[in-house]
Amino acid sequence: RFVLNELKSAMGVMQHHDAITGTEKEHVAHDYERLLDAAIEDSLIIARQAFNKIAQNSPLKPALFSYDRCRFNESSCPTSEASEKFVLTIYNPVGWNVMEPIHVPVLEGQYEVYAPNGDKITSQLIDIPAPVRNIPTRKSNATHELVFIAKLHPLGVKQFYVKKITKITKITKRDVMKTNDYYGNINDYWKNLHDNFVEIHNLDDFDKTFKSEQIPLPIPKTDSKVDM
Amino acid sequence: NKDINIDILKDRTDNIYVGDLEKIMKEVRTENRRERKAEKISYPSLNEEEMRMLADESMVVERSYEDYLENEYMKIRVDNTGVTHMILPDRTTNLKVQMYYWTGCYGNNTDTTFRSSGAYIFRPQTTQPYPMTYRITGTIKGPVLQEFRAEAKENAASVLRVYNGLNYFVHDFVVGPIPVEDKVGKEYVVRYETNVVNNGEFYTDSNGRQMLKRKLNERPQWNLTLEEPVAGNYYPVTNKISIEDNNTRISILTDRSEGGTSLEEGDLELMLHRRLLHDDAFGVGEALNETAGGVGLVMRGTHKLLNLDPRNQQEVEEKKLLLQTHLKPIVFVSDAENVDYETW
């Protein structure tokens, strides 16, 4: 209750006519931002406690999971940018069904988004436009936004599981065979590939995944004296 | 765009759009580029970067460029000049999304006629705003959304977006920092220009209380003579502004409170960002010139454009969308490196 009171108190300050219209001095505006942000951040404790309570007996127990709020207002989110698997917990505050486009800032790659029932849902990766001219821009590593449409129930909470499916996609079977010629043992290569890049376990899967001719895989460095 | 000395641009009454930029590029290419670059006197308003932009063939837009953003509800036609039409199953509306800027007055504040435009007072110097010149930067089409991107050299960028399954059109914009090197304060607005015959009438939600009808240069209670023909027609828009005629209602849903009006027939205008260099002497004691990061504020926002038939009684749907624009879903992100899909 006391953290909610802090937010109520901050909202009281924001009723001042200068705060409403934006006619306050610049340093006062910054103070208002500070007050509101601290109050909103603190009141998220309530949401976190609720989610953790729900998740207590599931694999998403609090020891493994932390619910961080990302506002996405400048295409920046430390968690989704740094992690290859993350969960989006989305709360719909209105009392009817909502279809809301969700934009998540991520690094370039291939991503899959799963709805709460485990089904893969349609998503799209779009690049974040470069800043106009050379003006200072957001502080974020995100280069793309992952977009999907979340279908949310009235006042409901839904979780979406997102995973990056590969680090390097631009390789072909021919490149692997070429590398095999160099090293003689494709099994070692597969092990390396499996451990480091993609979840592929046999050549059939490989064929299904990478059918087109693309940019060659960078070949590991070898002794320059050896004439290949 | 004020001083470019090319015949095609001499007619100042025309706005300069991407199509004109293309003509400039063509001229630049046909001449010896090096000579042309050295001849800066011919292009006094272009800096090095803009000269490079004009000479860069990769930025040339094809003359016949025409594309559509579409979903199951609408088709948006775009060409060299940007968006031109919104095509719905039963009707087509002309639509242009154009950013402008007003320049702020500078006075000594001794009298209302010498008042500066400032934090409290919106007082533009001219009765017509200056249009921004757009450059198309790309179109994206995919299974979730289709979007059209453009940017202006005045530090404004627009993304116009259509999502599959959603019946509204989204304008996502990043504006600023507003350049003030010329020592002139500016106020950036966006206009949605349509062919709706609204007879000077438009509707704004009066600080969230109710939709009120506004009429250009009129007040319902008294005879009005406006000393400020532009600012006198601006009204607060908390979430929604709309115009309508017999078969079309265009509504813009904003993501925050803004100033809005309809100064021209069929237009909706919303103010996005302001940067002014003089105090208006109404008490704040400083100019509205916020310099976060040393360069001025950048703002990012979203407008949703709804095109409905007023005869279809879709008010409830519109109000729901309005509320859910204000009360957006709250997203929490959790690192799941230790939780694989099967466990989840």
Side-chain angles (χ1 to χ4, degrees):
Chain A
R1 193 178 293 276
F2 76 90
V3 290
L4 207 55
N5 282 343
E6 186 194 348
L7 181 57
K8 286 179 180 175
S9 170
M11 285 307 294
V13 176
M14 296 308 130
Q15 304 308 307
H16 187 266
H17 63 89
D18 277 344
I20 289 172
T21 54
T23 47
E24 72 281 66
K25 284 177 188 275
E26 189 177 3
H27 69 273
V28 180
H30 292 322
D31 194 44
Y32 287 165
E33 287 158 15
R34 181 190 62 81
L35 262 175
L36 257 186
D37 189 67
I40 291 170
E41 197 54 46
D42 285 355
S43 63
L44 289 177
I45 289 170
I46 297 166
R48 287 198 191 97
Q49 281 181 349
F51 293 146
N52 284 332
K53 207 168 183 178
I54 295 166
Q56 211 143 37
N57 298 319
S58 80
L60 311 181
K61 54 195 169 218
L64 291 176
F65 240 54
S66 80
Y67 295 93
D68 302 317
R69 186 180 179 219
C70 276
R71 299 181 183 87
F72 302 146
N73 61 342
E74 56 165 28
S75 298
S76 156
C77 174
T79 310
S80 64
E81 286 166 23
S83 179
E84 298 199 344
K85 292 173 192 163
F86 53 91
V87 171
L88 299 168
T89 307
I90 305 176
Y91 168 64
N92 172 21
V94 295
W96 54 84
N97 289 319
V98 163
M99 282 174 69
E100 180 72 17
I102 305 291
H103 288 243
V104 189
V106 292
L107 302 180
E108 189 172 13
Q110 287 184 12
Y111 291 84
E112 285 177 347
V113 181
Y114 294 91
N117 63 359
D119 287 350
K120 192 162 89 173
I121 58 172
T122 309
S123 61
Q124 184 180 341
L125 198 71
I126 57 170
D127 61 306
I128 298 170
V132 178
R133 298 181 172 191
N134 297 318
I135 58 174
T137 183
R138 69 210 155 81
K139 288 171 184 158
S140 162
N141 294 325
T143 55
H144 288 66
E145 278 187 342
L146 180 68
V147 191
F148 65 95
I149 307 274
K151 294 177 180 172
L152 306 169
H153 295 141
L155 300 170
V157 180
K158 268 193 180 181
Q159 279 197 339
F160 295 83
Y161 187 87
V162 182
K163 69 174 179 182
K164 195 175 184 180
I165 57 170
T166 177
K167 284 180 183 169
I168 295 177
T169 59
K170 292 174 178 176
I171 52 175
T172 67
K173 184 178 173 183
R174 195 183 62 179
D175 297 316
V176 176
M177 299 315 290
K178 211 191 300 177
T179 318
N180 184 35
D181 288 345
Y182 293 156
Y183 291 95
N185 185 353
I186 197 168
N187 290 329
D188 290 347
Y189 185 83
W190 274 118
K191 189 174 182 306
N192 181 35
L193 193 69
H194 179 257
D195 290 348
N196 293 302
F197 303 118
V198 285
E199 293 177 8
I200 291 169
H201 304 285
N202 58 52
L203 273 174
D204 291 339
D205 281 352
F206 190 85
D207 272 336
K208 277 180 211 159
T209 314
F210 305 109
K211 279 184 178 168
S212 59
E213 292 280 321
Q214 292 173 1
I215 300 168
L217 180 76
I219 293 165
K221 281 183 183 173
T222 56
D223 187 349
S224 59
K225 290 174 188 170
V226 179
D227 182 5
M228 290 302 188
Chain B
N1 59 4
K2 290 177 191 166
D3 304 307
I4 295 173
N5 186 17
I6 295 178
D7 290 344
I8 52 164
L9 299 180
K10 272 184 180 168
D11 186 359
R12 290 286 310 281
T13 56
D14 283 349
N15 298 333
I16 301 166
Y17 299 121
V18 176
D20 298 316
L21 194 63
E22 182 194 351
K23 288 175 192 166
I24 301 171
M25 289 174 183
K26 197 175 173 186
E27 278 213 17
V28 173
R29 283 201 310 279
T30 50
E31 298 290 331
N32 183 318
R33 277 187 204 144
R34 260 185 209 171
E35 280 181 20
R36 180 64 78 175
K37 272 186 180 175
E39 246 181 68
K40 281 185 186 167
I41 192 108
S42 302
Y43 299 91
S45 68
L46 299 184
N47 60 29
E48 284 289 333
E49 187 193 339
E50 285 147 3
M51 292 292 288
R52 200 167 52 247
M53 190 180 88
L54 290 179
D56 185 354
E57 286 188 35
S58 66
M59 295 204 177
V60 174
V61 180
E62 286 176 32
R63 182 174 293 281
S64 59
Y65 177 76
E66 180 186 353
D67 206 346
Y68 291 89
L69 312 178
E70 57 186 300
N71 65 9
E72 55 268 57
Y73 292 100
M74 70 186 91
K75 267 172 101 166
I76 305 289
R77 183 185 176 275
V78 292
D79 67 13
N80 297 10
T81 61
V83 174
T84 61
H85 295 86
M86 187 174 200
I87 302 158
L88 303 174
D90 56 342
R91 64 191 187 281
T92 297
T93 309
N94 292 1
L95 175 68
K96 190 172 145 191
V97 182
Q98 172 72 43
M99 283 199 198
Y100 296 83
Y101 64 87
W102 296 97
T103 48
C105 269
Y106 170 42
N108 57 13
N109 301 319
T110 54
D111 185 79
T112 50
T113 48
F114 301 115
R115 187 173 286 157
S116 293
S117 197
Y120 287 93
I121 303 296
F122 166 42
R123 189 156 190 260
Q125 261 180 338
T126 54
T127 52
Q128 288 295 326
Y130 295 90
M132 296 188 198
T133 312
Y134 276 108
R135 182 169 70 87
I136 300 168
T137 53
T139 308
I140 291 174
K141 291 185 178 185
V144 178
L145 64 87
Q146 302 189 2
E147 68 180 34
F148 170 79
R149 296 172 176 183
E151 66 184 42
K153 69 182 174 68
E154 291 89 352
N155 291 352
S158 285
V159 177
L160 300 154
R161 204 172 268 155
V162 168
Y163 292 97
N164 282 352
L166 301 179
N167 67 341
Y168 53 84
F169 175 51
V170 176
H171 179 205
D172 203 345
F173 42 83
V174 179
V175 178
I178 295 177
V180 287
E181 290 83 8
D182 54 1
K183 311 285 183 205
V184 179
K186 297 175 188 71
E187 306 175 56
Y188 280 22
V189 296
V190 61
R191 272 189 185 174
Y192 299 91
E193 300 169 8
T194 71
N195 60 338
V196 171
V197 184
N198 63 318
N199 298 316
E201 291 175 353
F202 56 103
Y203 298 81
T204 60
D205 60 343
S206 328
N207 291 325
R209 290 187 179 88
Q210 62 181 114
M211 293 300 288
L212 278 188
K213 188 202 271 187
R214 317 289 193 180
K215 186 145 192 200
L216 207 59
N217 302 320
E218 274 191 30
R219 298 287 186 275
Q221 297 88 355
W222 70 93
N223 291 330
L224 180 73
T225 307
L226 278 177
E227 288 190 31
E228 298 289 342
V230 177
N233 285 304
Y234 257 75
Y235 290 91
V237 176
T238 312
N239 276 140
K240 182 181 162 189
I241 181 169
S242 63
I243 50 173
E244 66 180 45
D245 61 13
N246 290 337
N247 56 11
T248 304
R249 177 164 64 230
I250 305 285
S251 305
I252 307 292
L253 311 184
T254 63
D255 61 348
R256 70 197 72 187
S257 301
E258 292 165 20
T261 184
S262 171
L263 292 175
E264 306 281 342
E265 189 69 0
D267 289 6
L268 280 168
E269 177 173 327
L270 285 157
M271 185 165 286
L272 306 179
H273 194 5
R274 312 174 71 209
R275 191 176 187 190
L276 297 159
L277 306 179
H278 303 283
D279 178 33
D280 56 13
F282 269 85
V284 70
E286 65 182 32
L288 187 64
N289 181 17
E290 292 156 300
T291 53
V295 289
L297 293 185
V298 180
M299 73 83 67
R300 177 176 176 175
T302 303
H303 288 161
K304 290 178 184 170
L305 189 147
L306 266 176
N307 185 342
L308 299 175
D309 187 338
R311 294 165 297 189
N312 285 353
Q313 307 287 323
Q314 291 168 297
E315 282 86 358
V316 174
E317 196 183 313
E318 202 175 343
K319 276 182 186 170
K320 277 174 146 182
L321 184 61
L322 190 150
L323 274 168
Q324 74 194 50
T325 303
H326 210 59
L327 295 165
K328 288 181 73 156
I330 299 167
V331 182
F332 294 84
V333 185
S334 310
D335 184 6
E337 285 293 356
N338 300 322
V339 183
D340 59 17
Y341 166 69
E342 286 74 19
T343 313
W344 174 74

